Amino acid sequence: MIEQGVSLKTYNSFGVAAEAALFAVAKTIEDLQSILKDQRFASAWILGGGSNTLFCDTPKPPIIHLAISGIEITEEQRDEVVIKAGAGVNWHELVLWSLEKGFGGLENLALIPGNVGAAPIQNIGAYGVELQDVFESCTLVNRKDQSVETYDKVACQFGYRDSIFKRELKHKVVITDVSLRLKKENYRLNTSYGAIAHLLTSKGISTPSPKDIADVVIGIRTTKLPDPKQLGNAGSFFKNPIVDHDQVIQLKSSFPDIPHYAQPNQNYKIPAAWLIEQVGLKGAREGDVGTHKHHALVLVNYGSASGHEIKTFSQKVQQTVEERFAIRLQPEVNFCC
Ligand SMILES: Cc1cc2nc3c(=O)[nH]c(=O)nc-3n(C[C@H](O)[C@H](O)[C@H](O)COP(=O)(O)OP(=O)(O)OC[C@H]3O[C@@H](n4cnc5c(N)ncnc54)[C@H](O)[C@@H]3O)c2cc1C
């Protein structure tokens, strides 16, 4: 069914007011194919959970909301399984489902908002783990001719908060399901990031299960990150910039305290939150938009900010950081503006 003039306020974690000119829900691949054949949806915005999307009040785009459900085991060996989940499955529900079955691999990615179909778009990551670490394949529908294809990990060209879907295939395909390879035993657990190891020790856990790690991650995220239900936000608004060796030397000579973390190919990751804090914009507020007082990287809607106001504020943050550090912050959030 296609609806007209649908409010998007409850479909985005910023909680901004926006309206879809047309709104269609795809519950199956066949639904999606028939919606895509309708020329009115040729330039439609694909919407999952709306937790990484900034809607502006204009234009009023046609929307295709992915609501393909279902989780199944498609392959099972002695120590591994491959599971397949529909694009409309809530990501955290998939994590909980996998933990209940005793599968390992998704524990560090617990409580990331949004749906399964969007997870490959920016190769979601948290606490030292990225989607690509467990990714097997995904099914795509080509928007132009509605053909169906399967993409494996190599084809997806994953990078830090990046994939082919943010570049060459941007707005060209729709992901309808995602398959993940998880461990049934001999888990590859990652407790090295942040406070995970410390919190496990303080709970007296020396040989953690995937669920123990997920519980700790859920605890950290619940206490540290602003809940979009209370305060509209989309998590980290910007990516952490990656600079090369020469740039880092130059930056260190001007800013000796600048934090930098070694990456492959002699590159370095600089925490965007530190850059924003250094230019005095941590906790800054203009009207109903600002940076969170404890998380400089999280832009928040204090109530009635519009998408345009959030976009303008984000550009001010970009410009101020660039003037001081000659680094252009790149948004992690997707603008439907
Ligand atoms: C409080 C908070 C914390 C967060 N923490 C993290 C974190 O730790 N790590 C992290 O990586 N992210 C994090 N995020 C960002 C967000 O949760 C992820 O990017 C998530 O994958 C977005 O899912 P979604 O379904 O809400 O995507 P949406 O916002 O609906 O869509 C995001 C983008 O993907 C496109 N898209 C969506 N579904 C499909 C599809 N099926 N096919 C093709 N394109 C599609 C959209 O057009 C849009 O461009 C956080 C967000 C919030 C609000």
Side-chain angles (χ1 to χ4, degrees), residues 284-297:
R285 180 170 174 171
E286 280 179 13
D288 263 353
V289 55
T291 49
H292 191 272
K293 59 180 181 218
H294 300 309
H295 303 280
L297 199 46

Side-chain angles (χ1 to χ4, degrees), residues 161-189:
R161 298 293 186 274
D162 194 34
S163 73
I164 194 167
F165 310 115
K166 293 202 94 171
R167 292 179 271 108
E168 292 89 324
L169 292 184
K170 191 170 179 174
H171 302 313
K172 294 207 167 88
V173 296
V174 182
I175 295 171
T176 54
D177 61 58
V178 175
S179 292
L180 305 172
R181 185 172 287 275
L182 304 179
K183 300 287 282 179
K184 285 164 70 180
E185 51 188 58
N186 302 322
Y187 305 119
R188 281 186 229 108
L189 302 177

Side-chain angles (χ1 to χ4, degrees), residues 75-140:
E75 224 184 283
E76 185 151 15
Q77 285 134 25
R78 192 181 51 79
D79 65 341
E80 282 187 346
V81 281
V82 176
I83 63 166
K84 181 162 98 172
V89 172
N90 174 271
W91 175 262
H92 184 58
E93 273 166 29
L94 177 67
V95 175
L96 294 180
W97 179 92
S98 70
L99 292 169
E100 211 166 277
K101 300 260 181 229
F103 303 155
L106 301 184
E107 53 281 353
N108 295 49
L109 303 177
L111 219 57
I112 295 181
N115 293 349
V116 166
I121 305 291
Q122 70 159 7
N123 179 27
I124 56 168
Y127 299 96
V129 172
E130 290 182 323
L131 180 78
Q132 65 172 334
D133 300 328
V134 291
F135 185 86
E136 180 75 5
S137 64
C138 60
T139 307
L140 314 174

Side-chain angles (χ1 to χ4, degrees), residues 13 45-53 66 87 112-115 117-119 121-122 124-126 161 173-175 221 226 228 233-235 332 334:
S13 63
W45 184 264
I46 306 300
L47 179 63
S51 66
N52 210 15
T53 298
L66 266 283
I112 295 181
N115 293 349
I121 305 291
Q122 70 159 7
I124 56 168
R161 298 293 186 274
V173 296
V174 182
I175 295 171
R221 292 188 73 106
N233 75 89
E332 186 180 307
N334 303 279

